[in-house]
Amino acid sequence: MVFLFYTSGILSFFIIFFVYVLAPTIGQTRVWLWSILKILFFSSLFLSWNTENIVLKWILIEASTLFGSLLISSSGTEKSFHVGWKFLLTNSYSLGLAFLGIIILLFASTPLQNLNFESLKYGLVGKQGLLVEAGILLTVYGYSGKLGLVPNHFWVGDTYAESPSQTSSIIAAFVPVSVVLAIKPLIDIEKGINPSIFNAANGLLFIGILTIVYATFILQTRDDIRRISAKVALFHTGMLTIFLWLDVGEELFYYLLTSTILIKLLVFLALGILRMDAGNRYISKILNHSTLSHKAFYTYLFALIMAFVFPLGPVFVLDLELIKIGVRSNKFLLLFFPILGAFFFYVALNKILPLIRLTNRNFSQIHYSILQTRFLFFCLSVFYTLLVGVYGLFVLNGDYLWIK
């Protein structure tokens, strides 16, 4: 599963990169400059996956904040500049809290041979107390802001609404999994030193559930397909905290991260196709048009189906695993989350389904080559995602589901 995760991450990046180079947003300038920034953004996060050094991992994630803020402003509008600054300041503030927590943990531990998580874990053996608990809490809570969880979620909607779909896709796909990889070792450390119910893991679960409920509730008020897509991303980010809290085995954990990357890729690729073909981002205004390519509509619809209920999709596989965990460990409240996902899909479906009333036509002739290129990359992504889903159905089994 680790190999599958890395392969999926690299493949998804290249799809996003080539879509940007071969089928850029209309009016996009300095494509190669922004392409270099995309490479730097992905490289910093990819390197963070490959280090166990707690400080270096933080530095690499913080570096992605700078590159991400520049990418957000690549559309060149005044609003995108404001959103880029918002992304930079809010994420840097959150990561500043995380770094303060790391400093406290290093201060509270016995002298370490290196700054790896495993070394820190041994350094904190027998070191219970308010200082250690505060360090872990600050670090996890700070990282949750970068993750985009409630109450530090306000950068998410604006970022995905005001940046090009390729920028939204690379941020949505790679930031959450990178932050989760930084949080998980801290949750493992906390288990050995803080058995109390008042711990960072339970706090993370609480704000994760709030994020899921918030995304579902706010979705009902949204008319903007960009912000609908942002709520889909927010919902799945909240679901990551459920699996973190459960502390599932490595196989299921990396399958979860793989699924997160692929689903975010599909949703934002489909968003870019529908928005460009429709010529507008607001559903009410799109409905005022007489025609729409049903190919673009069904592309976005299928992305939503894959994100929640498609039987061979990786999210469906994860829902099955969540149900198994709930039944086998008598945590029946876990059964609520797949149901909530189905309800979220129902609300999103009712939002976009009226678009089917518009008369069908081919892709917009003005942007035909760009849309066709994006559609081909979308089909490639769907094919690969289905392979991952089928692989999960055959490979995952109960041996990986038990809480450690």
Side-chain angles (χ1 to χ4, degrees), residues 179-251:
V179 176
V180 165
L181 284 168
I183 291 176
K184 192 175 188 302
L186 296 168
I187 300 298
D188 292 339
I189 290 173
E190 186 186 45
K191 285 179 61 179
I193 60 179
N194 183 19
S196 169
I197 191 173
F198 300 102
N199 55 41
N202 289 336
L204 192 66
L205 173 67
F206 177 70
I207 62 176
I209 293 174
L210 283 181
T211 302
I212 292 170
V213 173
Y214 168 82
T216 306
F217 177 77
I218 294 297
L219 178 68
Q220 302 177 63
T221 66
R222 293 293 180 257
D223 182 54
D224 182 348
I225 56 173
R226 282 186 174 276
R227 293 193 180 271
I228 289 173
S229 302
K231 296 302 173 283
V232 173
L234 199 60
F235 183 96
H236 282 286
T237 299
M239 286 299 297
L240 289 172
T241 65
I242 309 301
F243 288 90
L244 270 176
W245 177 76
L246 287 171
D247 195 20
V248 296
E250 185 180 87
E251 293 289 315

Side-chain angles (χ1 to χ4, degrees), residues 13-31:
F13 170 72
F14 277 113
I15 288 175
I16 295 170
F17 180 79
F18 283 120
V19 166
Y20 183 75
V21 173
L22 301 177
T25 302
I26 298 300
Q28 182 69 66
T29 59
R30 296 182 292 182
V31 171

Side-chain angles (χ1 to χ4, degrees), residues 45-333:
L45 292 178
F46 186 79
L47 289 172
S48 77
W49 301 353
N50 291 278
T51 180
E52 291 300 314
N53 186 304
I54 187 172
V55 175
L56 180 57
K57 189 180 286 286
W58 180 91
I59 291 172
L60 291 168
I61 293 175
E62 173 68 343
S64 73
T65 302
L66 173 60
F67 300 135
S69 65
L70 294 173
L71 287 172
I72 291 167
S73 63
S74 64
S75 57
T77 64
E78 182 179 355
K79 195 165 186 179
S80 69
F81 284 120
H82 291 163
V83 173
W85 274 109
K86 183 178 183 179
F87 176 86
L88 178 64
L89 294 176
T90 55
N91 280 272
S92 295
Y93 172 75
S94 298
L95 288 173
L97 292 178
F99 191 67
L100 177 60
I102 291 171
I103 292 174
I104 293 174
L105 289 176
L106 294 175
F107 175 79
S109 69
T110 56
L112 306 177
Q113 294 183 345
N114 54 58
L115 296 177
N116 289 352
F117 284 104
E118 194 64 27
S119 180
L120 178 62
K121 183 177 181 179
Y122 285 116
L124 292 175
V125 171
K127 303 285 186 177
Q128 297 181 352
L130 182 60
L131 189 63
V132 175
E133 293 171 14
I136 293 178
L137 181 62
L138 275 173
T139 308
V140 172
Y141 181 73
Y143 274 131
S144 76
K146 179 68 175 178
L147 200 54
L149 298 176
V150 171
N152 301 309
H153 63 287
F154 294 104
W155 63 266
V156 175
D158 288 341
T159 295
Y160 299 156
E162 303 305 329
S163 57
S165 57
Q166 300 96 330
T167 298
S168 299
S169 61
I170 198 172
I171 292 175
F174 296 111
V175 168
V177 298
S178 303
V179 176
V180 165
L181 284 168
I183 291 176
K184 192 175 188 302
L186 296 168
I187 300 298
D188 292 339
I189 290 173
E190 186 186 45
K191 285 179 61 179
I193 60 179
N194 183 19
S196 169
I197 191 173
F198 300 102
N199 55 41
N202 289 336
L204 192 66
L205 173 67
F206 177 70
I207 62 176
I209 293 174
L210 283 181
T211 302
I212 292 170
V213 173
Y214 168 82
T216 306
F217 177 77
I218 294 297
L219 178 68
Q220 302 177 63
T221 66
R222 293 293 180 257
D223 182 54
D224 182 348
I225 56 173
R226 282 186 174 276
R227 293 193 180 271
I228 289 173
S229 302
K231 296 302 173 283
V232 173
L234 199 60
F235 183 96
H236 282 286
T237 299
M239 286 299 297
L240 289 172
T241 65
I242 309 301
F243 288 90
L244 270 176
W245 177 76
L246 287 171
D247 195 20
V248 296
E250 185 180 87
E251 293 289 315
L252 184 54
F253 176 70
Y254 277 100
Y255 187 79
L256 168 70
L257 300 185
T258 301
S259 302
T260 300
I261 290 175
L262 295 176
I263 292 304
K264 303 285 183 66
L265 172 68
L266 289 180
V267 169
F268 284 98
L269 278 180
L271 164 67
I273 293 171
L274 178 59
R275 197 213 64 77
M276 182 174 287
D277 183 76
N280 208 301
R281 55 194 278 185
Y282 297 101
I283 295 174
S284 58
K285 293 183 178 180
I286 297 173
L287 288 171
N288 291 330
H289 299 172
S290 59
T291 61
L292 177 72
S293 170
H294 284 184
K295 188 192 293 187
F297 169 77
Y298 283 119
T299 296
Y300 190 70
L301 175 61
F302 187 72
L304 290 180
I305 293 173
M306 285 289 288
F308 292 99
V309 296
F310 192 75
L312 294 180
V315 172
F316 186 81
V317 174
L318 289 169
D319 284 343
L320 290 179
E321 302 304 318
L322 201 59
I323 292 170
K324 289 179 185 178
I325 296 174
V327 172
R328 294 182 179 183
S329 58
N330 294 322
K331 292 182 171 64
F332 294 106
L333 286 177

